[in-house]
Amino acid sequence: MNLTDPVADFLTRIRNSMRARHQKLDAPASKLKSEIARILKEEGYIANYKATEEDGQKVIRVYLKYGPNNEAVIRDLKRVSRPGCRVYLGKNEIRRVQGGLGISIMTTPKGVMTGRQARREGVGGELLAEVW
């Protein structure tokens, strides 16, 4: 299957799995998706992730995280920069997500990081997604 936007597909799989109250999900693996999953784990939005291989295909398995009353930790995910309309931000244009309650995920020359880290390191880049 040829996807035009694999990052949007990955975020949609997470969103759909959270709404269906699944414990884990599998998605085709890539370095960018692994970095996104790493950031989500570091920020406490998912429980864990690991890269595995099934039937010769590399797969990233994401273990989702829920609160004490089985409410989803991730309220929503939004893809910002798309293949048809890229969104780039300078170091002074990076804004807070949901008044500081969410995170933005960016690709920068120094790698994939949150908007907060990019602001701290003084680098801009492409705004991939917002999570809250």
Side-chain angles (χ1 to χ4, degrees), residues 38-131:
R38 177 188 60 80
I39 288 173
L40 290 174
K41 182 175 190 267
E42 285 175 358
E43 296 291 323
Y45 287 102
I46 62 173
N48 203 356
Y49 74 97
K50 68 178 180 180
T52 60
E53 192 166 326
E54 288 184 6
D55 302 328
Q57 297 289 324
K58 291 184 179 177
V59 172
I60 185 164
R61 180 163 289 153
V62 178
Y63 297 93
L64 302 174
K65 188 175 181 179
Y66 297 96
N69 296 330
N70 203 25
E71 74 271 3
V73 172
I74 296 176
R75 294 234 186 275
D76 203 6
L77 301 123
K78 186 174 106 180
R79 176 77 157 122
V80 179
S81 183
R82 307 180 319 267
C85 183
R86 300 286 183 183
V87 177
Y88 297 96
L89 299 176
K91 63 180 181 180
N92 298 325
E93 299 171 324
I94 302 170
R95 61 187 185 280
R96 295 173 14 176
V97 178
Q98 296 289 313
L101 298 177
I103 62 165
S104 55
I105 300 174
M106 301 183 66
T107 57
T108 67
K110 294 186 177 181
V112 180
M113 59 181 69
T114 65
R116 189 177 312 114
Q117 289 171 319
R119 221 178 7 253
R120 192 176 310 125
E121 293 191 21
V123 293
E126 183 180 356
L127 180 60
L128 290 179
E130 293 178 341
V131 182

